[in-house]
C-alpha cells in the first residue's frame, strides 16, 4: 500500500509551508502513524504532528444531447504534516 499519493501544491497550503506545515493527499485507509513514518522516510525530516481530514467527492452533472449525466468526483483523504523547526521539505528538487 502506497501511503503518500501526491503533495498538495495550492495557495492555501503554500501559505502554510512558511509555518512548517505541508499538505499531502494520502491513501484513504492510512492512519496518522503510517503517514508520519512515510513522510520521515521519503523526505528525511522529523514529523511533530499529523492532522488528517476526509473529503467527500463533489457531485457533478453534465448536459448531453440525449440526457443529463450525473456522477461524483472521487473522495480522498488529506493530511497536514507539521515538521520540526528549521526543517524544510522541497517538492521541486526532483524536477
Amino acid at each position: 500500500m502506497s501511503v503518500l499519493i501526491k503533495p498538495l501544491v495550492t495557495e492555501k497550503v503554500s501559505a502554510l509551508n512558511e509555518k512548517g506545515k505541508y499538505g499531502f493527499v494520502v491513501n484513504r485507509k492510512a492512519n496518522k502513524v503510517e503517514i508520519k513514518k512515510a513522510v520521515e522516510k521519503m523526505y528525511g525530516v522529523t514529523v511533530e504532528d499529523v492532522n488528517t481530514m476526509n473529503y467527500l467527492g463533489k457531485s457533478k452533472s453534465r448536459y448531453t444531447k440525449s440526457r443529463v449525466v450525473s456522477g461524483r468526483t472521487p473522495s480522498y483523504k488529506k493530511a497536514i504534516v507539521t515538521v520540526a523547526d528549521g526543517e524544510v521539505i522541497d517538492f521541486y528538487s526532483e524536477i
Side-chain angles (χ1 to χ4, degrees):
M1 173 177 80
S2 177
V3 177
L4 299 177
I5 296 174
K6 65 179 181 179
L8 285 173
V9 184
T10 61
E11 287 185 30
K12 203 177 247 189
V13 175
S14 296
L16 289 174
N17 289 353
E18 297 170 3
K19 298 177 183 176
K21 296 184 180 191
Y22 299 90
F24 296 94
V25 175
V26 296
N27 191 320
R28 294 199 58 204
K29 295 183 179 179
N31 60 31
K32 291 182 180 186
V33 176
E34 292 172 340
I35 295 168
K36 179 179 177 178
K37 288 179 183 176
V39 171
E40 287 178 345
K41 182 180 176 186
M42 188 169 212
Y43 295 102
V45 295
T46 305
V47 175
E48 291 183 344
D49 191 27
V50 178
N51 297 323
T52 60
M53 50 211 100
N54 288 308
Y55 279 90
L56 184 64
K58 294 180 181 178
S59 61
K60 301 263 185 166
S61 60
R62 183 176 73 214
Y63 298 98
T64 63
K65 287 183 179 179
S66 59
R67 62 189 168 111
V68 176
V69 178
S70 60
R72 296 191 80 86
T73 60
S75 300
Y76 62 96
K77 187 173 190 175
K78 186 164 84 169
I80 303 296
V81 176
T82 305
V83 298
D85 290 336
E87 295 189 357
V88 177
I89 295 176
D90 187 17
F91 295 129
Y92 302 108
S93 64
E94 299 174 1
I95 295 176

